[in-house]
């Protein structure tokens, strides 16, 4: 149990800005990140608790659009915009890089380009508007949507670790570059779908499946461009998974 708790804490520490006490960090430190993959969806769920709680507390006092915007902003703050940064760099690399080398070079550049800016704007727009539509009908459904989307987004990262190789020799993605077995991927997939079903019922299960499919399409596109994945691509896959889950749930729950 201590080993599994350590893996969960390792994943939680990587995906967020949360600072673990020394006693907990000692449990997490021995594990390499790729060994923690089945716990990625659970870590995402735990991260989603804060924006979900904020949405629930603000819904009685604020319009749904404002409450949704603040909840999404809280999620961005907790993660340090880790995934948003990956989305922007990936969009710039795919959109502006004519060759593998050029795409990887663009993604190393800290400056944001047109494709990256548009990707970030669309990400925020789709997440906030979808969450607002759900919250207008039911704040409780909005809470569930945040939990499911955060969980599925982190689970989507396992697709790259199971079905692709790392495209660089160093960087953030090197933390998971050894990859995972199909068995470990199966565990991660099962946990992602189970959490979607548990918190969202049939709609949640469908949304998670759609989110994972969207992330897989992005991985395929990125592999064609660079021959593998990077840390930025992992962040982009998380964002695509999260966005699609919220959009699909808005389709299910966003109608009075």
């Amino acid at each position: 149990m201590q080993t599994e708790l350590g893996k969960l804490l390792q994943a939680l520490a990587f995906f967020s800005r949360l600072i673990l006490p020394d006693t907990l960090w000692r449990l997490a430190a021995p594990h390499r990140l790729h060994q923690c993959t089945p716990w990625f969806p659970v870590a995402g769920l735990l991260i989603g608790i804060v924006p979900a709680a904020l949405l629930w507390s603000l819904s009685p006092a604020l319009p749904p659009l404002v409450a949704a915007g603040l909840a999404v902003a809280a999620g961005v703050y907790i993660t340090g915009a880790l995934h948003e940064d990956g989305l922007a760099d990936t969009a710039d690399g795919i959109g502006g890089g004519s060759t593998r080398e050029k795409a990887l070079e663009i993604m190393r550049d800290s400056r944001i380009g047109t494709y990256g800016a548009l990707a970030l704007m669309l990400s925020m727009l789709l997440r906030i508007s979808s969450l607002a539509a759900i919250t207008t009908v039911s704040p409780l459904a909005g809470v569930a949507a945040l939990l499911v989307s955060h969980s599925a987004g982190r689970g989507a990262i396992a697709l790259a670790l199971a079905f692709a190789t790392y495209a660089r020799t160093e960087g953030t993605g090197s933390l998971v570059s050894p990859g995972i077995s199909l068995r470990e991927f199966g565990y991660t997939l099962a946990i992602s779908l189970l959490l979607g079903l548990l918190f969202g019922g049939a709609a949640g299960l469908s949304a998670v499946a759609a989110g994972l499919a969207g992330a897989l399409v992005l991985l395929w596109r990125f592999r064609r461009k660079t021959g593998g994945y990077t840390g930025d691509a992992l962040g982009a896959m998380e964002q695509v998974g999260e966005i699609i889950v919220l959009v699909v749930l808005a389709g299910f729950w966003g109608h009075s």
Side-chain angles (χ1 to χ4, degrees):
M1 290 298 294
Q2 283 189 338
T3 298
E4 295 308 312
L5 176 60
K7 291 178 181 180
L8 172 59
L9 293 172
Q10 180 79 10
L12 189 61
F14 178 76
F15 287 130
S16 72
R17 301 172 62 167
L18 301 176
I19 300 176
L20 299 176
D22 289 342
T23 52
L24 292 180
W25 184 248
R26 280 195 290 271
L27 289 174
H31 307 291
R32 297 196 64 187
L33 190 60
H34 71 280
Q35 298 172 325
C36 311
T37 310
W39 289 104
F40 283 7
V42 180
L45 181 75
L46 294 177
I47 291 169
I49 288 176
V50 175
L54 184 64
L55 179 71
W56 178 257
S57 63
L58 293 178
S59 292
L62 294 174
L65 185 62
V66 178
L70 291 173
V72 171
V76 173
Y77 176 78
I78 291 171
T79 61
L82 175 69
H83 309 301
E84 285 78 8
D85 179 69
L87 175 66
D89 286 344
T90 299
D92 281 334
I94 292 178
S98 56
T99 64
R100 175 184 184 276
E101 291 72 22
K102 184 62 176 178
L104 292 175
E105 178 185 348
I106 289 173
M107 292 170 68
R108 281 194 181 279
D109 193 334
S110 60
R111 293 170 297 181
I112 186 170
T114 302
Y115 293 105
L118 287 172
L120 285 178
M121 286 189 289
L122 288 172
S123 172
M124 297 299 289
L125 175 63
L126 289 171
R127 283 187 287 168
I128 292 173
S129 60
S130 297
L131 183 59
I134 296 168
T135 306
T136 299
V137 177
S138 169
L140 186 59
V143 167
L146 279 170
L147 295 176
V148 173
S149 62
H150 275 276
S151 173
R154 275 70 182 191
I157 292 173
L159 289 161
L161 310 190
F163 301 114
T165 56
Y166 190 51
R168 299 188 189 274
T169 57
E170 59 183 12
T172 303
S174 63
L175 295 171
V176 291
S177 59
I180 59 175
S181 66
L182 290 180
R183 181 179 181 182
E184 290 171 308
F185 172 73
Y187 289 148
T188 310
L189 177 63
I191 292 170
S192 297
L193 294 172
L194 179 61
L195 290 175
L197 180 64
L198 180 62
F199 288 95
L205 184 63
S206 300
V208 171
L212 295 176
L216 184 60
V217 171
L218 175 62
L219 176 63
W220 171 79
R221 178 70 179 85
F222 198 78
R223 282 185 63 184
R224 289 193 64 186
K225 174 68 74 171
T226 68
Y229 68 87
T230 65
D232 287 326
L234 298 181
M237 290 174 67
E238 190 283 335
Q239 284 283 280
V240 167
E242 190 176 328
I243 292 166
I244 291 177
V245 167
L246 287 173
V247 169
V248 171
L249 288 179
F252 278 107
W253 297 340
H255 307 285
S256 57

